[in-house]
Amino acid sequence: MPLVKAGLVVLDCAEPEKLAQFYLELLEGETVAASANLVEVRGADGVRLAFRRDANATPPSWPRPENSLQAHLDFLVDDLDAAERRIVGLGGRPVDTKDATGRYEERGYADPAGHSFTVRLVPPVAPKQG
């Protein structure tokens, strides 16, 4: 048995309840634990995220170059356009600077608190030969 087990990603934000709700709906998940300063959720596929209250939290500036990308989340999707409609409908916003008219392998967004994340197409799997 390993001494250290994998944990979860924790995002700091001013209002963890509101941010947890965004990810609960995006990931079709459930709340695992909640306290006055932390909300933990588990997505339908098992991914775990937590949101910690920090009254002084400021969102990262990505994709602006003056600050480096501190961390971001990647989510795999089958349909980029459908994912974008859902994200924007839940209060997220596009931050990718690419021309939005073409189909890209990935697109960048910010959640309602300004944390960046990317949605990427699930890589196609070739059928087995033989």
Side-chain angles (χ1 to χ4, degrees):
M1 177 183 287
L3 176 63
V4 178
K5 297 179 182 179
L8 61 150
V9 175
V10 179
L11 298 176
D12 291 343
C13 57
E15 300 177 282
E17 302 82 5
K18 287 185 179 180
L19 193 56
Q21 189 61 40
F22 171 83
Y23 284 103
L24 276 172
E25 292 184 33
L26 180 64
L27 300 174
E28 300 177 25
E30 63 182 341
T31 300
V32 176
S35 68
N37 291 313
L38 186 79
V39 178
E40 182 182 334
V41 302
R42 180 175 45 237
D45 71 343
V47 66
R48 291 174 41 206
L49 301 172
F51 311 94
R52 185 181 69 91
R53 187 176 317 280
D54 178 353
N56 298 317
T58 57
S61 66
W62 182 83
R64 296 187 312 263
E66 59 269 15
N67 288 333
S68 65
L69 177 63
Q70 298 158 356
H72 75 279
L73 305 170
D74 277 353
F75 298 105
L76 301 176
V77 300
D78 292 318
D79 184 332
L80 287 171
D81 293 330
E84 180 164 312
R85 287 189 297 275
R86 182 165 178 85
I87 291 162
V88 171
L90 293 171
R93 64 181 172 80
V95 294
D96 196 335
T97 58
K98 296 177 184 172
D99 179 6
T101 60
R103 270 186 85 73
Y104 294 99
E105 294 295 308
E106 65 180 41
R107 296 180 187 168
Y109 300 90
D111 67 26
H115 302 102
S116 59
F117 65 95
T118 301
V119 293
R120 292 187 287 123
L121 284 177
V122 174
V125 178
K128 288 188 174 184
Q129 302 293 320

